[in-house]
Amino acid sequence: MTNLDGSYRALFVEDDRDTGNAYRLLFMLEGFRVFVVDSISQARDLLTSEQFDLFVVDNRLADTPDLGLTGIDLCREIRQAQPDAVIFSISANATPEHREAAVEAGADRAFGKPCDYNRITQLAKVLLAQSSSSPRP
């Protein structure tokens, strides 16, 4: 759901402040309206009250141990709540198993850290353009 000005809305779920700020800056420069939260709990709150075009979700977050959930679990919740959104899962431990689990949970792509921010930005724009021209099955 783009804004009235045509910009995409993106939610980044990332507990590393520097990484979150990097996402914010780079995606804002590309015309995105960017929101950054640092926990699954905060993401869940926004998921019930806001619509986003793009989600970028870190796998391990500050509240992961307390909730017994990971970013992959959050990807599953996002896909159910906002089925047309583009979802990227990002993890410092992006093993082939993690990538497969993330995609099975609903992520469109899974990346390892450190990420190529430019690649992620460009891929997000491509997938969002495709998503807006043809809804998901």
Side-chain angles (χ1 to χ4, degrees):
M1 167 179 282
T2 56
N3 290 320
L4 294 175
D5 65 1
S7 62
Y8 290 114
R9 294 170 50 88
L11 177 63
F12 294 85
V13 187
E14 171 61 62
D15 61 348
D16 181 80
R17 185 178 304 260
D18 291 337
T19 302
N21 287 335
Y23 285 135
R24 182 188 313 274
L25 176 62
L26 291 169
F27 277 79
M28 285 176 68
L29 289 172
E30 292 292 330
F32 284 76
R33 184 136 183 250
V34 179
F35 301 80
V36 180
V37 298
D38 64 5
S39 70
I40 291 174
S41 299
Q42 290 174 329
R44 281 176 157 173
D45 289 344
L46 285 175
L47 190 58
T48 60
S49 63
E50 302 280 342
Q51 290 289 315
F52 294 95
D53 303 291
L54 171 69
F55 292 86
V56 179
V57 180
D58 188 11
N59 190 45
R60 288 189 181 257
L61 297 153
D63 59 351
T64 293
D66 295 336
L67 296 175
L69 301 171
T70 67
I72 291 174
D73 298 307
L74 182 59
C75 288
R76 187 173 294 107
E77 291 180 29
I78 293 167
R79 180 59 67 215
Q80 291 172 352
Q82 298 188 26
D84 294 329
V86 172
I87 305 170
F88 292 160
S89 174
I90 297 182
S91 177
N93 303 316
T95 63
E97 293 80 15
H98 166 267
R99 292 174 197 246
E100 183 178 325
V103 170
E104 286 177 4
D108 292 284
R109 298 285 192 286
F111 299 95
K113 285 184 178 180
C115 305
D116 179 340
Y117 293 113
N118 291 324
R119 178 175 176 234
I120 290 175
T121 304
Q122 295 310 310
L123 182 58
K125 289 166 61 176
V126 167
L127 292 177
L128 287 165
Q130 290 173 354
S131 176
S132 65
S133 65
S134 59
R136 293 180 185 274

